[in-house]
Amino acid sequence: MALLKIAKLGEPVLRRVAEPITPEELASSEVQRFIDDMIETMRDADGIGLAAPQVFVGKQICVLELKPNGRYPWSPALPLVVLVNPAFTDLSGEPIPGWEGCLSVDNLRGQVFRYPKASLSALGRHGERITLEAEGFLAVVLQHETDHLLGKVFLDRMTDLSTLTHQREYDRYWKSEESTPA
Ligand code: NI
């Protein structure tokens, strides 16, 4: 396995719509190795999710793994999940604000309104059908990661840029709000 370079804001790959993966591509040793590398890269960066465009690959693959860590000490736990060609089947509820950051956007946090409930359909890494029913923080993470596949970053979803905060100031003034993440 190998650590992959993370694309930072301004890289054109972050702004392109990612392509779906065919079953043949997914089964290839090349893509399977790439998925392993994405997982290793996410864990190394203390991330809770990573989308393929964030490592310079314009394909519809996301990896997620939620557990409390240095960047998200209050995160709920979700075992590792690989989502290929994900699509929401439902997004519902009144959008609520929560703080977000991104491995492709260094040193910034901002409040984003997201749907509190999400249903998603995808393929797993071996082509199996996955459906996820998510609420709260997991629903937010799903919306954040699938946005990367659409060429969007959380900054595009901010409706009030006055909440944009450097990490140090976030830690100083706003972190305590995060005991109840969106
Ligand atoms: Ni991100």
Side-chain angles (χ1 to χ4, degrees):
M1 292 200 282
L3 290 178
L4 304 169
K5 183 177 176 185
I6 294 177
K8 302 294 180 176
L9 191 65
E11 289 286 355
V13 67
L14 292 173
R15 295 315 197 164
R16 290 187 202 118
V17 177
E19 295 173 358
I21 300 262
T22 65
E24 294 75 27
E25 277 181 296
L26 182 57
S28 71
S29 57
E30 187 186 4
V31 169
Q32 290 296 316
R33 196 176 318 118
F34 172 66
I35 291 171
D36 287 335
D37 291 345
M38 283 183 71
I39 294 165
E40 188 181 10
T41 302
M42 170 179 68
R43 288 174 173 166
D44 180 74
D46 259 2
I48 55 178
L50 186 71
Q54 291 186 275
V55 287
F56 295 88
V57 174
K59 296 287 183 180
Q60 293 184 17
I61 305 174
C62 301
V63 297
L64 280 75
E65 185 175 47
L66 274 64
K67 56 189 171 191
N69 70 20
R71 290 180 73 234
Y72 298 94
W74 37 261
S75 173
L78 172 82
L80 177 69
V81 58
V82 177
L83 300 175
V84 176
N85 303 342
F88 286 112
T89 51
D90 188 47
L91 287 168
S92 59
E94 187 71 21
I96 47 176
W99 290 97
E100 294 186 27
C102 182
L103 295 176
S104 295
V105 182
D106 285 340
N107 196 31
L108 286 174
R109 296 284 184 119
Q111 280 199 344
V112 185
F113 280 80
R114 300 285 191 183
Y115 292 101
K117 290 188 176 182
S119 303
L120 180 140
S121 171
L123 297 179
R125 69 180 296 172
H126 302 297
E128 72 277 22
R129 176 62 57 185
I130 290 179
T131 58
L132 277 178
E133 304 282 332
E135 289 189 20
F137 188 60
L138 176 57
V140 171
V141 175
L142 288 173
Q143 288 166 80
H144 179 116
E145 297 308 329
T146 53
D147 262 358
H148 279 301
L149 305 181
L150 302 171
K152 300 278 186 197
V153 297
F154 77 90
L155 299 164
D156 305 326
R157 303 297 192 193
M158 288 182 68
T159 49
D160 180 1
L161 285 172
S162 74
T163 65
L164 197 60
T165 305
H166 281 134
Q167 186 67 45
R168 192 182 72 143
E169 286 68 24
Y170 169 81
D171 290 341
R172 185 176 291 173
Y173 298 110
W174 304 106
K175 197 170 191 172
S176 59
E177 281 195 356
E178 228 163 17
S179 53
T180 52

